[in-house]
């Protein structure tokens, strides 16, 4: 039985869930997203990925600056939703909004709650060296990702995964999970389980001050730091190019054989010594340039020992 839903989301991660809910016959009464922001060379206002997709589907799109006013609540209630679906919306829902839909509000969260509550669960899971991540459908309450959990799916995090890779794996997995949750809800069969009080961690928003690479750390820690921040904001170091230090983002790497002074090049293939072990850089990006494979970069900028990255 189809439900009448309000969908609330902003980035690309939320788009598959919107599309799957539409494909499975649910009625999307309205789509809420964040306001258009300047982007591109001309810095023209661009709608969010969710808003753009909703417009393509002919769905009404709302981009309120706040949900805390009586007017915002009345507008939300006017859609008479059975439930609201929230996927990386980027705005806190006040209690009045949470209580407005018939069945409540349901959030798709990209972690295995209660681990990595908060803003950056994908990045933090990789940076912390976690062996797995996943998606969960949670009935929202007033806390920060503290609601009861309905369904979950797990996925292994390999050392080869960047934040972008994990994002792209979790987005369709989460879309399928939300569709299953809404099917159960429509049959009054959605079961909820309280989150454990053990193992709570918080995924704080990524700060750009975290992005500089510390070569004194063990190789696997360096690799997970690089991959957890790839492609944005991008972990970076300075390379000596033509005698001048140049800031370069490292986007992808692998563990490698070798040892030496932390940050020192061990060969002409961008193998870099860490505090323990070494990594080999596979993909990188200079400021103002597109990402490049290491081989292409070295063709134009040959780097050999005893150069050191800092």
């Amino acid at each position: 039985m189809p439900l009448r839903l309000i969908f609330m989301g902003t980035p690309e991660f939320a788009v598959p869930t919107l599309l799957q809910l539409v494909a499975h016959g649910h009625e999307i009464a309205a789509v809420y997203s964040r306001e258009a922001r300047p982007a591109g060379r001309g810095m023209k206002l661009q709608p969010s990925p969710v808003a753009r997709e909703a417009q393509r589907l002919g769905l009404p799109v709302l981009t309120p600056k706040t949900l805390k006013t009586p007017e915002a609540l009345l507008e939300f209630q006017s859609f008479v939703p059975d439930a609201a679906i929230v996927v990386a919306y980027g705005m806190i829902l006040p209690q009045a909004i949470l209580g407005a839909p018939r069945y409540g509000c349901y959030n798709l969260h990209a972690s295995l709650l209660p681990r990595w509550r908060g803003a950056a669960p994908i990045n933090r899971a990789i940076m912390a060296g976690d062996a797995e991540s996943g998606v969960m459908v949670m009935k929202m309450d007033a806390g920060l990702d503290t609601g009861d959990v309905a369904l979950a799916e797990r996925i292994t995090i390999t050392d080869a995964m960047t934040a972008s890779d994990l994002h792209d794996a979790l987005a369709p997995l989460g879309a399928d999970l939300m569709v299953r949750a809404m099917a159960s809800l429509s049959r009054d069969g959605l079961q909820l389980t309280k989150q454990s009080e053990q193992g709570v961690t918080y995924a704080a928003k990524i700060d750009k001050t975290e992005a500089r690479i510390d070569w004194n750390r063990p190789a696997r820690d360096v690799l997970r730091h690089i991959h957890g921040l790839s492609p944005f904001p991008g972990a970076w170091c300075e390379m000596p190019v033509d005698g001048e230090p140049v800031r370069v983002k490292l986007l992808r790497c692998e563990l490698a054989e070798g040892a030496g002074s932390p940050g020192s090049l061990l060969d002409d293939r961008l193998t870099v010594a860490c505090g323990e072990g070494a990594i080999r850089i596979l993909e990188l990006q200079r400021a103002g340039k597109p990402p490049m494979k290491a081989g292409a970069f070295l063709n134009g900028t040959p780097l050999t020992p005893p150069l050191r990255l800092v």
Side-chain angles (χ1 to χ4, degrees):
M1 178 179 173
L3 295 171
R4 181 173 171 84
L5 304 173
I6 289 177
F7 187 87
M8 311 178 83
T10 297
E12 198 65 45
F13 182 81
V15 170
T17 303
L18 173 61
L19 293 178
Q20 284 299 307
L21 289 170
V22 171
H24 281 77
H26 294 290
E27 180 187 359
I28 309 299
V31 173
Y32 280 65
S33 194
R34 298 302 301 270
E35 295 175 285
R37 294 185 177 181
R41 287 188 177 182
M43 295 302 286
K44 294 182 180 179
L45 288 177
Q46 301 287 341
S48 75
V50 164
R52 188 165 55 245
E53 197 63 30
Q55 289 164 358
R56 185 186 70 81
L57 293 169
L59 300 172
V61 177
L62 293 85
T63 58
K65 288 185 171 64
T66 179
L67 296 172
K68 297 179 179 179
T69 63
E71 293 77 16
L73 176 60
L74 284 173
E75 185 171 44
F76 189 91
Q77 291 172 326
S78 71
F79 294 110
V80 196
D82 291 320
I85 307 303
V86 183
V87 187
Y89 178 39
M91 189 181 293
I92 293 174
L93 274 57
Q95 186 60 52
I97 294 286
L98 291 174
R102 176 184 176 191
Y103 295 119
C105 299
Y106 294 85
N107 175 242
L108 179 68
H109 188 72
S111 83
L112 298 175
L113 295 166
R115 186 161 178 80
W116 301 128
R117 294 173 177 172
I122 291 175
N123 308 86
R124 295 297 178 190
I126 294 176
M127 293 168 72
D130 289 5
E132 63 177 359
S133 181
V135 281
M136 285 186 162
V137 172
M138 168 190 65
K139 185 172 183 180
M140 298 175 71
D141 61 18
L144 177 63
D145 299 326
T146 55
D148 295 348
V149 172
L151 297 173
E153 286 284 356
R154 296 172 180 267
I155 189 171
T156 299
I157 302 177
T158 69
D159 281 343
M161 271 186 171
T162 65
S164 178
D165 296 333
L166 185 54
H167 168 284
D168 291 350
L170 291 178
L173 197 65
D176 177 69
L177 198 68
M178 185 61 77
V179 165
R180 286 159 51 195
M182 291 302 101
S184 294
L185 184 66
S186 71
R187 299 190 299 267
D188 291 325
L190 189 64
Q191 297 183 350
L192 300 171
T193 303
K194 287 191 176 298
Q195 291 187 39
S196 171
E197 297 297 324
Q198 306 298 316
V200 176
T201 57
Y202 290 93
K205 185 177 179 181
I206 299 296
D207 192 304
K208 289 185 178 181
T209 59
E210 300 178 71
R212 187 161 194 163
I213 297 166
D214 181 0
W215 296 108
N216 292 297
R217 298 171 67 187
R220 189 166 181 270
D221 290 358
V222 172
L223 176 146
R224 286 298 195 108
H225 180 228
I226 289 169
H227 284 176
L229 297 179
S230 177
F232 182 83
W236 63 274
C237 65
E238 290 184 343
M239 291 184 175
V241 177
D242 298 327
E244 296 292 331
V246 174
R247 181 182 291 201
V248 179
K249 291 182 179 181
L250 307 187
L251 303 178
R252 196 177 292 272
C253 59
E254 64 184 4
L255 297 176
E257 298 293 328
S261 175
S264 60
L265 284 180
L266 300 178
D267 56 25
D268 60 358
R269 298 174 57 203
L270 286 181
T271 302
V272 187
C274 301
E276 296 175 15
I279 65 161
R280 179 171 294 115
I281 300 167
L282 302 177
E283 189 173 346
L284 62 170
Q285 182 178 19
R286 288 183 65 171
K289 304 288 185 180
M292 300 180 70
K293 300 294 185 184
F297 177 85
L298 289 170
N299 285 338
T301 311
L303 299 175
T304 56
L307 289 179
R308 186 167 181 270
L309 312 186
V310 295

